[in-house]
Amino acid sequence: MDSVLSEDPVALKILIAGGFGVGKTTLVGAVSEIKPLRTEEVLSDRGVGVDDIDGVETKTTTTVAMDFGRITIRDGLVVYLFGTPGQERFWFMWDELSYGALGAVVIADTRRLTDCFPSVDYFEQRGTPFVVAVNCFDGASRHSVEEVRVALDLDDDVPVLLCDVRRRTSAKEVMIALVEHSLRTLTSAN
């Protein structure tokens, strides 16, 4: 198989999704081997009354299109990361961003758990394999994986991980879990 990969390069596409201020940009930056492309803009008065910043009042910027990063696994095998915008007003871009994706990471913040429902629903409806990565923010209440699974009404086969997306090792573990889950899902479907 290695000779096939070296002759025919393979690019895998992974989406990073979740609510506003959950850590999508941070995760892409933590694992990308290149300086990530970020489309962050300063929060402005236009978002007042539109963007819910409860729980993330210190956030000063927001992704308005996408984040992009790259991970080279080995010669001929590259993973491209696409971070989706979190606010509802930017969801129209998700269909384009998700086209051809191997799977997705849905980042959850237990302070605002309902913010990840749209991402979970989106990937469930499209049959896209996904994992839920609970970003353990400093000072936030800690919940077990099973408590999060029940709160999000997830199927038993959807992996739920506790992580700190600021830490490269933790973010890499999330990526590995997603690739393994996606491969199991694709293998069982065939």
Side-chain angles (χ1 to χ4, degrees):
M1 183 161 176
D2 285 335
S3 63
V4 171
L5 287 179
S6 62
E7 291 173 19
D8 298 323
V10 174
L12 304 175
K13 181 179 188 180
I14 293 176
L15 293 181
I16 313 299
F20 175 64
V22 78
K24 298 176 298 291
T25 299
T26 303
L27 185 140
V28 171
V31 296
S32 180
E33 67 191 22
I34 62 170
K35 181 179 179 183
L37 167 69
R38 294 186 171 143
T39 60
E40 294 234 307
E41 293 294 332
V42 175
L43 289 171
S44 68
D45 293 341
R46 298 183 119 213
V48 174
V50 177
D51 298 330
D52 177 11
I53 61 168
D54 288 340
V56 290
E57 293 85 1
T58 59
K59 186 163 176 54
T60 59
T61 61
T62 186
T63 300
V64 295
M66 68 175 183
D67 297 310
F68 175 79
R70 182 184 74 211
I71 304 168
T72 301
I73 305 300
R74 64 174 180 251
D75 278 351
L77 181 57
V78 177
V79 176
Y80 294 115
L81 307 169
F82 289 83
T84 65
Q87 294 114 301
E88 184 175 353
R89 62 188 161 126
F90 298 123
W91 289 351
F92 67 91
M93 291 184 278
W94 285 25
D95 287 337
E96 290 300 321
L97 289 173
S98 67
Y99 182 77
L102 172 71
V105 173
V106 174
I107 304 178
D109 177 351
T110 59
R111 300 170 302 178
R112 299 164 46 113
L113 195 58
T114 57
D115 287 0
C116 73
F117 285 164
S119 300
V120 168
D121 290 346
Y122 182 87
F123 298 118
E124 282 180 343
Q125 290 170 5
R126 284 156 184 77
T128 303
F130 68 96
V131 301
V132 173
V134 180
N135 194 5
C136 297
F137 285 92
D138 296 335
S141 299
R142 302 285 191 230
H143 299 279
S144 71
V145 164
E146 194 51 39
E147 288 172 320
V148 172
R149 177 182 304 289
V150 169
L152 295 178
D153 192 28
L154 297 171
D155 291 338
D156 290 339
D157 66 327
V158 175
V160 178
L161 304 94
L162 302 178
C163 68
D164 181 342
V165 299
R166 299 170 298 183
R167 291 184 31 242
R168 183 176 182 83
T169 351
S170 187
K172 281 172 59 175
E173 289 170 4
V174 170
M175 295 291 113
I176 291 167
L178 172 63
V179 171
E180 289 174 346
H181 174 62
S182 296
L183 291 174
R184 278 193 307 274
T185 301
L186 293 171
T187 303
S188 68
N190 291 331

